[in-house]
Amino acid sequence: MKDFSYPSDRTILVTGAAGFLGSHLCKRLLASNENIEILGIDNLYSGTRFNIAGLHSHPRFEFMRHDVTSPLFVEVDEIYNLACPASPVHYQHDPVQTLKTSVHGAINMLGLAKRTGSKILQASTSEVYGDPKVSPQREDYWGNVNPIGIRSCYDEGKRAAETLFFDYRRQHALDTRVMRIFNTYGPHMHPNDGRVVSNFIIQALKDDPITIYGDGSQTRSFCYVDDLISGMIGLMNCAHAGSEPVNIGNPNEITVRQLADIVLELTGSRSKIDFLELPGDDPLQRRPDISKAKDLFNWEPAVELKTGLSKTINYFDKLLQAKPLVLEAAE
Ligand code: NAD
Ligand code: UDP
């Protein structure tokens, strides 16, 4: 799929710019058109300056340290709202702040969009489906979410944010997009955020035990970051995509055990496998139905799992060689 070309000068706000997805989005937007400027904001809660180190000298990129739970007064034309810790380890570390980030952050960014007349996209999640009783998950499935469990700060925060986006759309005629992102992986994932892909790769590269939670029969569908960013930009620029949420992810569903075996094969690691307790409310299955994204803006993922994993392994290998002490210290 081709990237959209912006017709005229505009300033695009990216919240969560120093995070995994935010940093890729900023880079891709800057490369896609020389007439746009990016204002990236982040409170550096789960993102790092390292992810945007290459952008600081870019003449059309500006970084501001800001927390989206506080109002922001800037002049922009378009907003991608990505600010929110995404890994269970990070979002469960301070659950009240996670909920505030989703809800107050959405209110503040929607208020900014209303004042400036900006189009605004929300990075929502497959977690709005909870532990789904149907597979694959279509956008019209309302989900199976525990409102009081350890994942609820994230799941319910994202559900409330979706509600706000659709209420602002109906009540204030805002031009909104809601993107339900399924598990995504690639370079710039935080090495210590505990997500399964980064955990397994780092463990394999260090010949440490691979930590499978439960028996590894739970499934996920992993999308490479480049595909995800194409879907995000495609959704933002699809004129007819605003009235409903849209799934973006890779429908190739595998078990966590299969993922471990593939990572072991690609790294040639001597790691053994440790089976640990399954965390509470861990969804048993997850697979997106992406027919809506296909129909609306002809998007589908192109990167095979082994290709994407090899690129990610290469990234973490270099990171480990450059910063072994940083990774050790955080364990
Ligand atoms: P990430 O943790 O790497 O990035 C999130 C960024 O938001 C970080 O840089 C963090 O410092 C920043 N942030 C957190 N709270 C903030 C606040 N209050 N104010 C300002 N900045 C704040 O996560 P990611 O994987 O890049 O996810 C980006 C978005 O996509 C999130 O909204 C997440 O919920 C959503 N998402 C991601 C995935 C995935 O697999 N990566 C899946 C579903 C949804
Ligand atoms: N997981 C695992 N070992 C790890 C980290 C995660 O087995 O070291 C499992 C986790 O229990 C879940 C799946 O991998 O079933 C995906 O976890 P992740 O935190 O990446 O994302 P989630 O989809 O659960 O939000």
Side-chain angles (χ1 to χ4, degrees):
M1 204 183 99
K2 281 188 184 153
D3 277 343
F4 181 84
S5 289
Y6 287 93
S8 60
D9 292 8
R10 67 178 72 193
T11 301
I12 300 177
L13 173 65
V14 176
T15 79
F20 163 44
L21 299 182
S23 56
H24 282 275
L25 175 65
C26 291
K27 198 172 162 197
R28 183 83 76 87
L29 288 171
L30 285 167
S32 72
N33 189 301
E34 59 185 28
N35 293 321
I36 58 162
E37 292 189 5
I38 304 281
L39 172 60
I41 68 165
D42 203 296
N43 70 351
L44 301 178
Y45 177 80
S46 55
T48 67
R49 292 179 194 282
F50 177 75
N51 281 345
I52 47 169
L55 297 180
H56 282 304
S57 57
H58 197 291
R60 290 180 286 110
F61 179 78
E62 184 182 353
F63 179 71
M64 186 195 295
R65 190 165 181 156
H66 178 81
D67 192 311
V68 291
T69 60
S70 297
L72 178 66
F73 296 95
V74 290
E75 302 309 316
V76 293
D77 305 293
E78 207 166 81
I79 303 170
Y80 288 85
N81 187 36
L82 274 61
C84 185
S87 87
V89 169
H90 278 148
Y91 70 66
Q92 288 165 18
H93 175 70
D94 187 349
V96 174
Q97 172 66 12
T98 298
L99 202 46
K100 283 184 184 169
T101 292
S102 276
V103 177
H104 295 187
I107 291 170
N108 288 327
M109 292 309 110
L110 285 161
L112 175 64
K114 186 176 160 217
R115 182 179 64 74
T116 55
S118 303
K119 184 161 59 168
I120 179 168
L121 178 145
Q122 167 69 356
S124 190
T125 170
S126 54
E127 293 285 329
V128 300
Y129 302 121
D131 190 5
K133 299 291 181 204
V134 301
S135 187
Q137 292 83 53
R138 284 165 43 109
E139 291 88 347
D140 55 7
Y141 177 53
W142 289 356
N144 175 37
V145 177
N146 177 359
I148 57 168
I150 56 170
R151 294 176 85 102
S152 311
C153 60
Y154 184 73
D155 301 10
E156 296 290 22
K158 290 287 188 178
R159 285 169 69 96
E162 285 200 5
T163 306
L164 283 161
F165 267 68
F166 282 93
D167 281 338
Y168 267 77
R169 184 178 181 88
R170 283 185 288 261
Q171 195 173 335
H172 299 298
L174 248 62
D175 194 1
T176 55
R177 303 283 183 276
V178 170
M179 170 179 185
R180 291 186 178 155
I181 303 171
F182 284 66
N183 294 66
T184 303
Y185 68 97
H188 291 192
M189 294 182 87
H190 196 292
N192 298 317
D193 77 4
R195 280 187 263 198
V196 69
V197 173
S198 45
N199 266 12
F200 285 4
I201 290 177
I202 291 169
Q203 289 161 348
L205 288 171
K206 293 168 77 179
D207 287 329
D208 285 347
I210 303 285
T211 54
I212 291 186
Y213 303 157
D215 62 6
S217 62
Q218 69 272 37
T219 68
R220 295 292 186 273
S221 305
F222 296 99
C223 185
Y224 188 63
V225 62
D226 288 355
D227 284 334
L228 191 285
I229 298 299
S230 297
M232 188 179 283
I233 295 173
L235 174 57
M236 180 64 120
N237 292 291
C238 175
H240 316 293
S243 57
E244 293 170 87
V246 180
N247 288 338
I248 300 286
N250 192 320
N252 177 21
E253 181 180 20
I254 59 166
T255 66
V256 165
R257 173 67 211 234
Q258 285 173 314
L259 177 71
D261 289 338
I262 295 170
V263 169
L264 287 173
E265 177 200 321
L266 293 177
T267 52
S269 171
R270 284 170 292 144
S271 296
K272 65 181 184 66
I273 290 187
D274 273 359
F275 290 94
L276 307 178
E277 199 180 335
L278 189 67
D281 292 337
D282 202 291
L284 289 180
Q285 57 179 346
R286 199 180 280 154
R287 177 179 179 215
D289 180 321
I290 57 166
S291 36
K292 194 187 277 189
K294 268 189 200 167
D295 290 349
L296 283 169
F297 47 98
N298 196 25
W299 177 85
E300 59 184 327
V303 180
E304 296 290 334
L305 182 62
K306 284 191 179 176
T307 308
L309 283 175
S310 298
K311 291 182 184 188
T312 313
I313 289 167
N314 193 30
Y315 170 80
F316 279 116
D317 195 24
K318 284 191 184 140
L319 199 67
L320 274 171
Q321 286 172 30
K323 298 196 175 222
L325 293 176
V326 174
L327 294 178
E328 300 286 350
E331 284 173 355

